[in-house]
Amino acid sequence: MCPAADPSAAAPAPPRTAVTRESVLDAALTLFAERGYHGTPLSEIAAALGIRTPSLYNHMGSKQDLLETILTRTLDDVLDGFADAVDGLGTPAEKLHAATRVYALRHATHRREALVVNRDAGGLDEPDRSRIRDRRREHERAVRAIIADGVRAGEFQVGDPALASFAILEMSVSIARWFRDDGPRTAAQVADEFAGYALRIVRYRP
Amino acid sequence: MCPAADPSAAAPAPPRTAVTRESVLDAALTLFAERGYHGTPLSEIAAALGIRTPSLYNHMGSKQDLLETILTRTLDDVLDGFADAVDGLGTPAEKLHAATRVYALRHATHRREALVVNRDAGGLDEPDRSRIRDRRREHERAVRAIIADGVRAGEFQVGDPALASFAILEMSVSIARWFRDDGPRTAAQVADEFAGYALRIVRYRP
DNA sequence: CCTACCGATCGGTAGG
DNA sequence: CCTACCGATCGGTAGG
C-alpha cells in the first residue's frame, strides 16, 4: 500500500563494519527474537548487515544452522551458569537461591536468546530438536532435585517438587518478555527479588 | 529427501464432518499452537479439514483474520474469567487466590490458545496488535492493583507489586507449555497449587 | 466445494 | 562480496 515507507525495513542504516560469522549470528538473534524464526526472511538479516542475501552464505551453512548455533550456545551457557552458581554451596536453600538468581539474571541480560529458545526451539529439524529439548530437561531435573533434597531435609514444604520447579523456572524465563534495560529496576535487582520468590514458593523459612 | 513419508502431514485422516467457520478456527488453533502462525501454511489447515486451500476462503477473510479472531476471543475469555472470579470477594488475599486459580486453570485447559497468544500476538498487523496488547495489560494492571491493595492493607509483603504480579501471572501462563491431560495431576490440582504459590510469593500469612 | 492460476517471496545455488 | 537466477511455496483470486 505504501512501499516508500516499508515498516519491515527496521534497520535504519546498514552499518559498514566488517561482516563476520558473529555479526551474522547477532543480527539473526535480534531478528529471530523480534519476529520469530519463521517470520524472519534471510533478506532482512542481510539488510541489517548492509549486504545482499547470497553473501550471507559466506558466513553460514543455512538458516537452520543459524538457529541451531544460537540455541546450542544458549543452552550451554545456561547449564554452565547453573553448575558454576551452585558449585560448593551446602544447603538446598542456598543452592535454590543461587540457581534461581543466576537463571533470572541471565534472562534479564540475555533477553533475545531466551525469547528464541522459548519460541523457536520447535522450528529445528531432528535430531537437533531432541538434543536441545534434552538439554533443557537436564536443567529442569537439576533444579527439581534441589527442591526434592530440600523437602527431604525438612527445609522446604511443597506438595510436588516438579510443580514448584516449573513455577520457579518459568517465572524466571518470563523476565525476558517484560524486562527493559531502561526500566525502573536493574537486572540484578530483579534477579535478587525472584530468587527470594523461589524460596517463598518452596516455603523456606530462614 | 523422503517425500513418501512427509512428517509435516500430521493430520492422519481427513475427517469428513462438515467444515464450518468454527472447525476452521479449531484446526488453525491446533496448528498455530504446534508450529506457530508463520510456520503454518494455509494448505496444512485445509489438509487437516480434508479440503483444498481455496475452499478455506468460504469460511474466513484471510489468514490474519483467523489469528485475530483466535486472539480476540481468548483475551475476552481471560478478562471475563478474571471479572467473574474476583466478583464479590472481599480481601486482597481472596481475590489474588481466586484470580490466580482461574488464570492457571484456564492455561491448563486452553493450552493451544495460550501458546498462540504468547507466541504469535506480535504477528498481527496494526491496529489489532495494539488492541490485543492493551487487553493483556488491562489484566496485568488488575492483578497488580490487587497486590498493591494487599500491601497497603498490610496483608502482603512485597517490595514491588509489579514484579510480584509478573511472576504470578507468568508462572501461570507457563502451565500451557508443560501441562498434559494424561499427566499425573489434574488441571484443578495444578491450579490450586499455583494459587497457593501466588499467596506465598506475596508473603501472605493466613 | 473445486480446478486453474496469479504475483510475490522464500531459501538457496551458480559462477564469478 | 556481487548479479543472475533456480524451483518451491506462499497467501490469495477468478470463475465456476
Side-chain angles (χ1 to χ4, degrees):
Chain A
M1 255 192 180
C2 189
D6 183 356
S8 69
R16 292 282 21 174
T17 50
V19 174
T20 63
R21 175 163 171 84
E22 289 309 312
S23 67
V24 170
L25 283 165
D26 190 73
L29 182 54
T30 297
L31 287 162
F32 290 170
E34 266 174 27
R35 311 201 214 288
Y37 175 72
H38 287 301
T40 305
L42 288 177
S43 59
E44 284 193 25
I45 299 174
L49 294 162
I51 62 176
R52 305 286 179 179
T53 305
S55 304
L56 288 172
Y57 287 86
N58 292 311
H59 307 285
M60 68 179 202
S62 66
K63 192 188 178 189
Q64 275 268 333
D65 154 62
L66 247 32
L67 179 60
E68 198 266 320
T69 301
I70 289 169
L71 295 179
T72 299
R73 286 186 184 184
T74 299
L75 271 289
D76 284 350
D77 286 353
V78 166
L79 285 168
D80 289 352
F82 173 83
D84 288 351
V86 303
D87 184 56
L89 296 181
T91 68
E94 286 170 348
K95 286 182 183 171
L96 182 62
H97 191 276
T100 304
R101 197 191 172 284
V102 73
Y103 195 60
L105 186 64
R106 204 180 192 285
H107 282 81
T109 55
H110 294 74
R111 297 181 52 230
R112 298 176 303 169
E113 288 85 341
L115 292 171
V116 175
V117 167
N118 280 282
R119 184 175 185 168
D120 293 313
L124 280 180
D125 289 334
E126 293 293 358
D128 291 317
R129 185 166 66 226
S130 294
R131 199 169 45 76
I132 292 291
R133 187 203 54 213
D134 290 348
R135 289 289 250 299
R136 298 182 73 176
R137 287 196 181 158
E138 200 179 316
H139 182 244
E140 282 166 25
R141 252 199 316 275
V143 172
R144 197 180 317 156
I146 293 174
I147 296 175
D149 284 348
V151 170
R152 269 192 295 275
E155 223 177 9
F156 301 158
Q157 294 175 48
V158 294
D160 186 337
L163 232 49
S165 70
F166 278 133
I168 290 167
L169 254 21
E170 296 288 347
M171 78 181 177
S172 303
V173 166
S174 76
I175 294 170
R177 247 171 274 141
W178 53 262
F179 184 78
R180 306 290 139 177
D181 282 319
D182 57 355
R185 293 162 292 260
T186 66
Q189 285 170 341
V190 171
D192 285 335
E193 189 78 3
F194 271 61
Y197 293 164
L199 295 183
R200 292 181 184 190
I201 285 175
V202 298
R203 217 165 200 137
Y204 172 70
R205 298 155 192 275
Chain B
M1 252 190 181
C2 189
D6 183 355
S8 71
R16 292 281 21 171
T17 50
V19 174
T20 61
R21 174 163 171 85
E22 288 309 311
S23 67
V24 171
L25 282 165
D26 191 73
L29 182 54
T30 296
L31 287 162
F32 290 170
E34 265 175 28
R35 309 202 216 290
Y37 175 72
H38 288 301
T40 305
L42 288 177
S43 59
E44 286 193 24
I45 298 173
L49 294 162
I51 62 175
R52 305 287 179 177
T53 306
S55 303
L56 288 173
Y57 286 87
N58 293 311
H59 306 286
M60 67 179 202
S62 66
K63 192 186 178 192
Q64 274 269 332
D65 154 62
L66 247 33
L67 179 61
E68 197 266 320
T69 300
I70 289 168
L71 295 180
T72 298
R73 285 186 183 183
T74 300
L75 271 289
D76 283 351
D77 286 352
V78 166
L79 285 169
D80 289 352
F82 173 82
D84 288 351
V86 304
D87 185 55
L89 296 181
T91 69
E94 287 171 346
K95 287 183 183 172
L96 182 62
H97 191 276
T100 304
R101 197 189 173 287
V102 73
Y103 195 61
L105 186 63
R106 206 185 189 281
H107 281 83
T109 56
H110 293 74
R111 298 180 53 233
R112 298 176 303 168
E113 289 85 339
L115 292 171
V116 175
V117 167
N118 280 282
R119 184 176 183 168
D120 293 314
L124 281 179
D125 289 334
E126 295 293 358
D128 291 318
R129 185 165 67 227
S130 293
R131 199 169 46 76
I132 292 292
R133 187 203 55 211
D134 289 348
R135 289 288 250 299
R136 299 183 74 178
R137 288 196 182 160
E138 199 178 318
H139 183 243
E140 282 165 25
R141 251 200 317 273
V143 173
R144 197 180 317 156
I146 293 173
I147 296 175
D149 283 348
V151 170
R152 266 193 297 274
E155 224 177 8
F156 301 158
Q157 294 174 49
V158 293
D160 186 335
L163 231 49
S165 69
F166 277 133
I168 291 167
L169 253 21
E170 295 289 344
M171 78 180 178
S172 303
V173 166
S174 77
I175 294 171
R177 247 173 273 143
W178 54 261
F179 184 78
R180 307 288 140 178
D181 281 320
D182 57 355
R185 293 162 293 260
T186 66
Q189 285 169 342
V190 171
D192 285 335
E193 189 78 2
F194 271 60
Y197 293 164
L199 295 183
R200 293 181 183 190
I201 285 175
V202 298
R203 217 166 202 138
Y204 172 70
R205 300 154 191 274

